Amino acid sequence: MKFDFATNGGIFLEAIGTTLYIVAVALGVGGLVGLGLGVLLFITRAGGLRPNAVVFNLLNLLINFFRPIPFIIFIAAMGPLTLAVVGSSIGTNAFIFPAALMVSFASARLVEQSLVSLDPGVVEAAQSMGASTWTIIRTVAIPEVLAPLILAYTFLFVAVVDMSALAGIVAGGGLGAFALSYGYQRFDWAITWITVAVIVLLVQSVQYLGNWLARRALRR
C-alpha cells in the first residue's frame, strides 16, 4: 500500500517536527554540556590556565571511553540510566537522553581542539593584565576561536541528524522511522527518496548557515 500524501501528509510533517525536536534538544543540551567540558579540558591540561592532572585525566578517560562506542550500542547500554532519568526506555525523550550524552562527549573534544589551536601569546597577554581565568575564556579564548567553534557545531548538527535516523529503534519517531515504516517496508521508494531529499535540504541549509557565520566571525 502506497503512502497517500493527500490524506496522511500530517504524519510526514509530524516526522519532520520530531526530527527537528530531537536535533534541537540533543544538540542544545549536549552542546552546552560539551562546551563546559571542553573548556574544562583546556584549562586543566598541562600548560593550561589551571593545570590539574587528576581532573584532566578523568575527563579525558571518560570522553575517550564513550566516543568510539557505536551509537546504536550506546542507546542499548544506556537503557537502565535512561529509564532512571527519563522514566521510560522508549519514546522520543528516551532517545534524546543518550543522544545528548553522546553529543556532550563529541562536542567536548571538538571544543578542546579548537581552544588548543589558540595562539598562546594571546592568553599570556591577557594574563599579564591580570585577567581571571573566566574572563580569559569568555572575552579572549572563545571569541578568538569562534569561527572554528561554529564549524564544529555545524558538523555536530549533521552528526545529530544522522543519529536521529535511529530514533525508530526505541519508538522515538522522526524521519528515519518514517522512511523505514512507510518507505522501505512498503516498497514505496518514492517516500524513501522524498525523506532523503528533506534531510539533505535540512543539512545543506544548516551547513550553508554555519559556513556563512564562520566567515562573518573571521572578518571581525
Side-chain angles (χ1 to χ4, degrees):
M1 180 180 178
K2 301 296 184 180
F3 186 84
D4 184 1
F5 272 102
T7 57
N8 299 306
I11 299 174
F12 183 55
L13 294 177
E14 182 181 357
I16 295 175
T18 300
T19 292
L20 293 175
Y21 172 69
I22 290 171
V23 173
V25 177
L27 185 59
V29 175
L32 285 175
V33 172
L35 178 62
L37 292 176
V39 168
L40 195 56
L41 282 168
F42 172 68
I43 65 176
T44 57
R45 66 187 299 110
L49 295 170
R50 290 289 185 271
N52 188 316
V54 174
V55 173
F56 177 82
N57 288 326
L58 283 175
L59 283 177
N60 196 49
L61 179 64
L62 180 69
I63 293 168
N64 286 342
F65 178 81
F66 284 107
R67 276 187 65 211
I69 301 176
F71 185 59
I72 192 169
I73 298 175
F74 185 75
I75 294 173
M78 290 294 104
L81 183 59
T82 301
L83 183 61
V85 174
V86 179
S88 174
S89 58
I90 60 173
T92 304
N93 291 331
F95 178 82
I96 288 174
F97 178 72
L101 282 178
M102 187 60 82
V103 171
S104 299
F105 301 135
S107 58
R109 187 63 75 200
L110 290 172
V111 169
E112 180 203 15
Q113 290 171 351
S114 296
L115 290 171
V116 167
S117 67
L118 180 65
D119 182 1
V122 177
V123 176
E124 291 169 2
Q127 286 178 310
S128 68
M129 291 186 290
S132 66
T133 299
W134 168 242
T135 299
I136 292 173
I137 292 297
R138 182 173 56 86
T139 64
V140 178
I142 290 181
E144 284 293 322
V145 298
L146 186 58
L149 282 176
I150 291 172
L151 293 177
Y153 277 93
T154 301
F155 169 80
L156 275 177
F157 177 90
V158 177
V160 178
V161 171
D162 186 39
M163 290 161 56
S164 72
L166 296 174
I169 66 174
V170 291
L175 286 170
F178 177 82
L180 182 63
S181 299
Y182 294 96
Y184 180 76
Q185 292 179 355
R186 298 186 182 188
F187 301 99
D188 191 342
W189 309 121
I191 287 296
T192 304
W193 280 106
I194 289 172
T195 306
V196 168
V198 170
I199 292 174
V200 169
L201 179 62
L202 174 63
V203 167
Q204 290 299 320
S205 298
V206 173
Q207 185 69 63
Y208 177 83
L209 176 62
N211 291 342
W212 180 78
L213 290 173
R215 287 194 301 270
R216 295 265 300 184
L218 284 173
R219 291 171 185 165
R220 290 184 304 108

